[in-house]
Amino acid sequence: MAWSIAQVARMSKVTSRTLRHYDEIGLLPPAWVGGNGYRYYEQEQLLRLQQILVMRELGLGLDAIKEIVRHGRDQAEVLRMHRGWLLAERDRFARLARTVTRTIEELEGGENVTSMDHWFEGFDSAKQAELTEEARQRWGAEQVDAANAHVRGKSKEWWQSQGRQWAEQVGTLVALIDAGHQPGDAEVLDALDGHYRWLCGYWTPNRESYTGLGDLYADDPRFRANFDRTDPRLAEFMRAAMAAYAQARL
């Protein structure tokens, strides 16, 4: 039995554009292509797509995923590995749920709490501290600390407005990619004016640091995974576009 690309997109909630990109980079070729040019997928391809989506949810970038799915491992072995990752994530969320449940019980029960340490069990504060320290080393402690101070205590509404601005910028860039624009085109650089001004609300990148941020978006799997979820072309396009913007306008 075979499914068309439209049927696979509908089943998996993955856009046809993303499926075509996976084919272009050799990550998920279809089982065959019809005379009408449409891609068709069989059970083997659907199983690979499931593996790809699991690894995307776990934060892996496309390059890392390609290495894993091309490794030639037995399919059952790969699924066991994925199941292990998912169970580890389940356990992490279970720890967080227990922490919150215990806090609720203490607050509702009127207990005299003498220690607060257990209120923070399960939170990966070490990872956040690691990211902050990486940023301080990359761009300087003074700039990073100033940026953190700028956003400390901001309201939920403020964060939501920042998220909307970022989403609009990303949407504009994806539309420009769809229209066939190249990273150095004037329309793309004009769009990045908004991105640069948005960043200046936190810190003011120079030519070197703005280029370096584009590299970080594309190279760091923690950032790359988020861009890939939006559009698998986006991270590399932003890397090239941000480098072009830095050369032309900074």
Side-chain angles (χ1 to χ4, degrees):
M1 184 174 181
W3 294 266
S4 70
I5 189 171
Q7 290 172 315
V8 173
R10 187 166 54 251
M11 284 189 294
S12 65
K13 308 297 190 297
V14 173
T15 66
S16 297
R17 180 176 61 195
T18 296
L19 291 171
R20 287 192 293 271
H21 178 71
Y22 288 171
D23 179 17
E24 290 165 1
I25 65 175
L27 180 59
L28 182 64
W32 46 280
V33 179
N36 53 9
Y38 290 175
R39 295 166 171 83
Y40 291 89
Y41 300 81
E42 297 178 348
Q43 179 176 318
E44 180 181 350
Q45 287 73 43
L46 295 186
L47 179 59
R48 174 172 284 199
L49 178 59
Q50 182 199 61
Q51 295 168 357
I52 293 168
L53 296 181
V54 168
M55 287 185 280
R56 276 180 50 186
E57 287 297 319
L58 292 170
L60 276 71
L62 290 182
D63 289 340
I65 293 173
K66 283 171 65 175
E67 289 300 316
I68 293 172
V69 300
R70 287 178 165 183
H71 198 266
R73 293 181 177 176
D74 176 75
Q75 290 182 338
E77 179 189 354
V78 172
L79 286 173
R80 280 192 292 269
M81 178 179 66
H82 293 168
R83 185 170 69 101
W85 290 344
L86 291 172
L87 291 176
E89 283 294 285
R90 180 203 63 184
D91 293 343
R92 184 172 70 86
F93 281 111
R95 289 194 299 272
L96 290 172
R98 287 195 298 269
T99 295
V100 174
T101 298
R102 185 174 175 183
T103 303
I104 293 170
E105 291 171 349
E106 289 178 349
L107 293 174
E108 291 182 343
E111 294 185 22
N112 183 20
V113 181
T114 58
S115 172
M116 310 291 279
D117 292 349
H118 61 277
W119 281 25
F120 304 99
E121 293 173 0
F123 292 98
D124 197 352
S125 57
K127 182 177 290 186
Q128 183 60 44
E130 177 187 350
L131 288 170
T132 300
E133 184 56 32
E134 285 181 19
R136 295 172 95 245
Q137 293 176 10
R138 184 185 294 266
W139 292 301
E142 184 176 348
Q143 288 199 58
V144 173
D145 292 345
N148 286 335
H150 174 74
V151 301
R152 191 173 296 121
K154 293 292 188 182
S155 68
K156 177 182 177 182
E157 290 74 19
W158 184 86
W159 284 108
Q160 289 175 338
S161 71
Q162 296 300 298
R164 286 192 295 270
Q165 289 182 43
W166 172 243
E168 289 171 2
Q169 292 158 11
V170 168
T172 298
L173 287 168
V174 171
L176 288 169
I177 296 172
D178 286 341
H181 284 284
Q182 298 303 307
D185 289 353
E187 294 86 349
V188 175
L189 300 187
D190 289 344
L192 283 182
D193 272 333
H195 178 250
Y196 183 78
R197 290 195 301 271
W198 178 72
L199 283 176
C200 287
Y202 303 87
W203 60 293
T204 304
N206 57 22
R207 176 180 292 181
E208 180 182 2
S209 59
Y210 193 66
T211 302
L213 181 61
D215 290 336
L216 182 69
Y217 283 164
D219 292 336
D220 191 308
R222 295 164 298 191
F223 290 92
R224 180 72 180 245
N226 289 326
F227 284 103
D228 285 346
R229 289 189 184 101
T230 301
D231 190 302
R233 304 168 296 176
L234 185 58
E236 291 297 340
F237 187 87
M238 283 201 71
R239 184 212 298 269
M242 289 171 69
Y245 182 92
Q247 289 298 316
R249 302 194 177 180
L250 297 183

